[in-house]
Amino acid sequence: MNNLRCDLVDAGLLIATGVDGIVGRGAVFEDVLMRLNAIIARWGTRHGAEVVHFPPVINRTHLERNGYLKSFPQLATALHGFTCDAHDGAVGEDLSTDLMMTPAACYPVYPMVAARGPLPIGGALFNIQSWCFRREPSQDTSRLQSFRMHEYVRLGTEGDVLAFREAWIVEAGALYESLQLPFRLDDANDAFFGRAGRLMASSQRERNLKIELLIAITSDTEPTACCSFNYAEDHFTDAWQIAMPDGSKALSCCVAFGMERTTLALFRHHGFDPARWPAPVRDVLYSDGR
Ligand code: AMP
Ligand code: ZN
């Protein structure tokens, strides 16, 4: 699997930094990623999704209220500043920044929506992208610590949010098919921490709450999740007391595209020179003529 990373670095598509899971990107890689991003964004324009952007750091209390430090402490990362000394410069670490790295693009949506009061009639739909950070250093080229997610988040009744998820499973399948990337869908679970986490993971899987779209990138036998379709039930809406206009319970779903992984899949399956990719794939990505 390291060969793929070496080849991508040799070709100038990725830039090594000396840290597992942290890579720079050359212009060609970034151009393809941005084109994918634009295609994903078009759906939101068609469906009236509200676009919001947040920096890649999050209020620590918001992440705690979302349950992240209980469920995924092994992936969490807090930002520290330094305590300083006039002679020696930085002498200690100071956690009072109250900031953590954002681990998934959708987390900041919930406190924002909660602050607005009850949902409007019909619920809400957001288009949100962010750099995300997960502390999972790996030699696997497709497992990064710092990467981008492009997400849609739907809040509403159970019917609303499940219909949204079904529609996106079809939509994403059509997108990956048009990019000629062989994929399969599978039930999945999040990497919940510890013994209690194992129970949560198996219940999530049994109840079909997380579905992933998998593509072979670094392994043919263990394909990589490039996109996930997540039904959070009332996990976030309960934590943030988000209700429908009539006071009934609101629920939520998100669909999350891994931008680096989807881009890597294109280079892995079609070669390192986008000018030589299959014409139908180029038509999808370069329909603006550039
Ligand atoms: P998740 O919230 O785990 O379902 O993540 C959503 C999507 O983000 C996944 O389907 C991946 O495409 C992408 N992703 C998650 N973790 C990583 C990672 N460590 N490196 C690169 N992409 C990731
Ligand atoms: Zn999400």
Side-chain angles (χ1 to χ4, degrees):
M1 64 184 169
N2 275 324
N3 284 343
L4 178 65
R5 181 164 57 184
C6 293
D7 292 348
L8 289 161
V9 169
D10 286 347
L13 290 164
L14 295 183
I15 302 159
T17 67
V19 180
D20 284 340
I22 305 288
V23 292
R25 296 94 46 209
V28 174
F29 186 94
E30 191 67 7
D31 180 58
V32 171
L33 187 147
M34 285 298 168
R35 287 171 185 281
L36 282 169
N37 222 20
I39 292 169
I40 294 165
R42 283 210 292 265
W43 184 93
T45 311
R46 281 204 307 278
H47 290 81
E50 180 181 339
V51 179
V52 286
H53 293 275
F54 288 86
V57 290
I58 185 167
N59 181 333
R60 181 182 181 134
T61 58
H62 288 180
L63 206 53
E64 278 167 359
R65 189 153 162 191
N66 278 338
Y68 198 80
L69 290 179
K70 281 222 164 69
S71 296
F72 310 105
Q74 79 282 20
L75 299 176
T77 306
L79 262 73
H80 68 69
F82 294 96
T83 49
C84 303
D85 175 288
H87 287 295
D88 301 318
V91 290
E93 295 174 7
D94 172 10
L95 269 170
S96 65
T97 60
D98 296 328
L99 290 172
M100 298 200 58
M101 302 296 284
T102 302
C106 60
Y107 284 111
V109 161
Y110 296 97
M112 176 190 76
V113 171
R116 291 179 181 179
L119 288 171
I121 291 165
L125 173 65
F126 296 96
N127 173 359
I128 183 164
Q129 2 177 340
S130 182
W131 279 95
C132 298
F133 192 92
R134 291 183 182 178
R135 191 178 174 203
E136 44 182 350
S138 165
Q139 300 261 309
D140 181 336
T141 318
S142 66
R143 184 168 299 284
L144 299 170
Q145 296 198 76
S146 184
F147 56 95
R148 278 163 286 182
M149 264 188 219
H150 194 153
E151 291 202 44
Y152 285 98
V153 186
R154 180 82 168 96
L155 298 99
T157 63
E158 182 171 41
D160 293 335
V161 305
L162 286 177
F164 157 84
R165 184 167 84 147
E166 283 311 307
W168 254 114
I169 289 172
V170 173
E171 186 77 22
L175 172 61
Y176 285 97
E177 215 158 85
S178 74
L179 296 170
Q180 298 189 6
L181 293 172
F183 67 85
R184 69 178 166 82
L185 295 167
D186 211 348
D187 290 330
N189 59 264
D190 289 307
F192 293 104
F193 181 73
R195 192 179 306 162
R198 276 202 293 282
L199 287 177
M200 287 169 82
S202 59
S203 134
Q204 187 185 28
R205 207 171 252 275
E206 268 160 31
R207 300 173 54 229
N208 225 285
L209 301 180
K210 186 177 189 77
I211 297 169
E212 287 180 331
L213 187 149
L214 305 156
I215 302 178
I217 300 178
T218 46
S219 157
D220 288 336
T221 47
E222 284 176 46
T224 303
C226 287
C227 186
S228 68
F229 311 89
N230 307 288
Y231 179 26
E233 300 181 300
D234 64 357
H235 176 72
F236 296 117
T237 47
D238 209 33
W240 291 96
Q241 297 288 295
I242 298 169
M244 298 301 289
D246 64 2
S248 64
K249 214 178 191 133
L251 300 154
S252 75
C253 264
C254 71
V255 45
F257 283 88
M259 297 312 301
E260 280 74 11
R261 285 189 178 172
T262 303
T263 309
L264 282 169
L266 281 165
F267 285 102
R268 154 77 172 71
H269 284 270
H270 300 319
F272 287 2
D273 180 3
R276 296 169 63 185
W277 287 356
V281 174
R282 285 190 55 82
D283 285 347
V284 174
L285 288 167
Y286 296 87
S287 53
D288 60 1
R290 283 183 291 141

